Amino acid sequence: MSKKWYRLDTAALLFPAVMNKNWSNAFRIEATINHEVDPFSLQKAVDDLKVRFPSFYVGLRSGVFWSYLQEMEETPKVMSDFAYPLTFMSSRELKKSCIRILYYKNRIAVEFFHAITDGTGGNVYFCSLLARYLEIKFDIEIGKSPFVVNHDEPVSEEELEDSFYKYTNNYPASRKEAKSYQLKGTRSKNDCFTLITGIIETDKLKQLSKNYNCTITVFLTAVMIESLIEMQKQNRFHHLQKQVKITIPINLRKLYGSKTVRNFVLPINVGVNPKKGDYSLAELCKSIASQFDYEITPQNMASRIASNVNPQKNILLQIAPLPVKRFVLGAVYYHSGVLTSSLNISNLGVIKLPEEMDPFVERIEFIISPQKNNINNCSVSSYKNHTYININRNIVESELERIFFSKLVELGLPVTIESN
């Protein structure tokens, strides 16, 4: 019997091309629970979700012209957590499985290779896995929610579609964009990642954001830009300063009503040019909010989608062998992605679980890996009135985290700091 296979979605085509020996584009979602993990119940939960989430139980394969995802021979085995979060996923490992299911004491984590899904799709899988684990472990029944699906209901075609093709238009947006200020630092030994977590009460963060007439994402982006401007002033003369921009992945499901669990996010770069003058935090919030409002419309995002979809229709690119495609995609990513941004801020938002799960789950966190050139990356998630801001870096210096969290404290937000 032949194994089922899936084309890489439009966003996923990029990720195999930009991998290198020290960085695989991956992210992690983890939960701290109120008891020591039972690996046997966790493995049974993983097995039970295979039919419900077939596009997650795949390995990355390479054809003559395109990479693709192929159904796994076996369900992935749960493993005791090791080393630091998001250790490199090698091509050999990805050929067998594009996900890792990990546990350590009272923590359950799943690490996803970005080619199979984005943070929203990964969160649906993770919360559904957590729910199924608790059902098996404690013989209880858990209700469903936007983040938890029934493990034995059939998967719909909409959940497996490449929504980029469905919501594109015929007016591709330009990729041309000015370069952004790039952070520098001393590489960590063995390219290890250092994770700093800032924990804030969500209600207080929400109220402060409201005081600045913006969302939490806009507020945190503005504070981060303010921090980066301060760092650039320390390192560059005014006439040599570059724009300071941050990449924000936009979940397109809400914009178009898509139900896909595959990739359906597009990044936008927002920021300011410090050469134009100084900005107060209120001015930064106003500027970033207006950039969000302008960019995040169905029409503008459809044009951004078109700039990714249309090249796939080019006959020369279609017939080019895979190594050529990877070279071209890697070059485009470097010049129009990496160099145009200082770092990413990815906000998974507020996670609400069925009430039956709340007594068992203490915290949920979202972690993304730093890139080769963007040496810091920031990810955010909120659960039970706590917001977890994870800044992951592959350099020794912690100046950005120090400045950023200090600014939040100065604004009246108590921050609890943890580190791996």
Side-chain angles (χ1 to χ4, degrees):
M1 183 177 177
S2 61
K3 298 184 182 70
K4 191 170 184 178
W5 64 279
Y6 302 90
R7 296 179 186 274
L8 292 176
D9 61 60
T10 298
L13 291 171
L14 176 68
F15 302 129
V18 299
M19 288 175 57
N20 60 53
K21 64 180 182 179
N22 297 317
W23 176 65
S24 54
N25 198 330
F27 64 92
R28 172 182 176 118
I29 305 177
E30 65 178 38
T32 303
I33 56 180
N34 69 346
H35 61 275
E36 189 163 332
V37 177
D38 173 10
F40 299 101
S41 296
L42 181 58
Q43 183 64 62
K44 179 66 166 61
V46 172
D47 296 342
D48 285 353
L49 261 60
K50 187 175 188 297
V51 175
R52 185 63 185 80
F53 292 94
S55 61
F56 286 70
Y57 290 73
V58 293
L60 178 68
R61 301 300 176 98
S62 297
V64 176
F65 297 104
W66 295 102
S67 297
Y68 62 97
L69 302 171
Q70 184 172 285
E71 180 185 3
M72 297 171 60
E73 294 181 4
E74 297 180 354
T75 304
K77 303 304 178 187
V78 302
M79 300 181 290
S80 178
D81 209 350
F82 59 93
Y84 52 90
L86 298 169
T87 55
F88 176 65
M89 289 181 166
S90 67
S91 297
R92 178 177 295 182
E93 179 182 358
L94 289 171
K95 189 174 182 180
K96 296 179 180 178
S97 176
C98 290
I99 57 173
R100 292 178 182 144
I101 295 92
L102 306 162
Y103 67 93
Y104 178 74
K105 294 184 178 179
N106 62 332
R107 182 177 67 227
I108 294 174
V110 180
E111 296 183 348
F112 304 84
F113 180 49
H114 213 328
I116 63 169
T117 191
D118 54 31
T120 298
N123 194 38
V124 173
Y125 174 83
F126 177 79
C127 292
S128 299
L129 175 67
L130 195 57
R132 185 59 186 148
Y133 163 78
L134 293 173
E135 286 182 330
I136 295 169
K137 172 68 176 173
F138 296 103
D139 192 22
I140 58 176
E141 185 173 340
I142 292 173
K144 307 311 161 195
S145 77
F147 300 108
V148 175
V149 300
N150 195 326
H151 76 280
D152 55 8
E153 69 182 14
V155 62
S156 69
E157 290 185 9
E158 283 182 293
E159 291 176 315
L160 300 178
E161 72 179 11
D162 183 348
S163 289
F164 291 103
Y165 263 88
K166 191 173 181 179
Y167 297 104
T168 187
N169 65 18
N170 294 316
Y171 188 73
S174 172
R175 293 182 182 273
K176 190 174 181 180
E177 196 170 336
K179 293 180 180 179
S180 178
Y181 169 61
Q182 299 283 296
L183 292 161
K184 304 294 183 183
T186 307
R187 289 283 171 174
S188 301
K189 188 176 181 181
N190 299 323
D191 285 307
C192 291
F193 299 154
T194 300
L195 179 66
I196 302 293
T197 304
I199 307 171
I200 302 170
E201 288 186 30
T202 305
D203 286 348
K204 292 182 178 179
L205 177 59
K206 187 175 181 180
Q207 183 58 53
L208 186 57
S209 303
K210 188 176 180 180
N211 292 346
Y212 282 89
N213 299 308
C214 63
T215 64
I216 287 176
T217 300
V218 168
F219 175 75
L220 293 176
T221 301
V223 176
M224 185 65 77
I225 288 174
E226 189 177 50
S227 303
L228 289 164
I229 289 174
E230 184 174 319
M231 290 186 68
Q232 183 173 216
K233 283 182 177 179
Q234 296 172 0
N235 301 319
R236 288 173 178 264
F237 293 113
H238 181 76
H239 69 283
L240 295 176
Q241 290 182 12
K242 295 183 178 180
Q243 293 187 35
V244 175
K245 295 181 290 182
I246 290 179
T247 298
I248 310 293
I250 304 301
N251 177 17
L252 300 177
R253 293 169 180 82
K254 294 180 180 179
L255 203 60
Y256 298 108
S258 171
K259 296 180 180 178
T260 187
V261 294
R262 304 182 75 185
N263 285 290
F264 199 40
V265 296
L266 272 185
I268 63 171
N269 290 335
V270 295
V272 296
N273 188 345
K275 287 183 179 179
K276 294 182 178 180
D278 295 331
Y279 292 83
S280 67
L281 181 58
E283 289 170 332
L284 286 173
C285 288
K286 184 177 180 180
S287 175
I288 301 306
S290 65
Q291 291 174 57
F292 269 59
D293 290 341
Y294 173 78
E295 293 288 353
I296 307 172
T297 66
Q299 298 80 10
N300 282 342
M301 297 311 286
S303 288
R304 286 180 174 270
I305 292 173
S307 66
N308 292 328
V309 169
N310 286 10
Q312 298 177 52
K313 301 175 183 178
N314 184 299
I315 187 63
L316 293 178
L317 187 62
Q318 288 180 2
I319 64 175
L322 184 58
V324 174
K325 286 188 177 76
R326 288 186 170 178
F327 175 80
V328 172
L329 289 170
V332 170
Y333 173 73
Y334 181 73
H335 290 285
S336 65
V338 173
L339 294 181
T340 59
S341 169
S342 300
L343 54 82
N344 289 270
I345 294 181
S346 184
N347 187 357
L348 200 57
V350 177
I351 301 169
K352 294 182 179 179
L353 298 177
E355 59 182 14
E356 298 91 348
M357 296 177 66
D358 281 338
F360 299 98
V361 183
E362 296 176 355
R363 57 194 276 182
I364 297 178
E365 294 179 66
F366 176 46
I367 305 168
I368 58 177
S369 59
Q371 302 170 8
K372 183 179 180 181
N373 294 86
N374 286 352
I375 53 183
N376 292 73
N377 264 336
C378 178
S379 46
V380 184
S381 61
S382 300
Y383 177 68
K384 282 187 175 179
N385 199 36
H386 284 93
T387 295
Y388 302 91
I389 304 172
N390 284 297
I391 302 180
N392 207 3
R393 71 175 191 270
N394 57 15
I395 59 171
V396 173
E397 292 82 2
S398 59
E399 185 68 1
L400 177 63
E401 297 94 311
R402 185 191 66 79
I403 294 174
F404 174 74
F405 287 122
S406 294
K407 287 183 178 295
L408 293 179
V409 172
E410 290 169 5
L411 289 165
L413 287 174
V415 181
T416 301
I417 300 294
E418 297 178 352
S419 174
N420 68 333

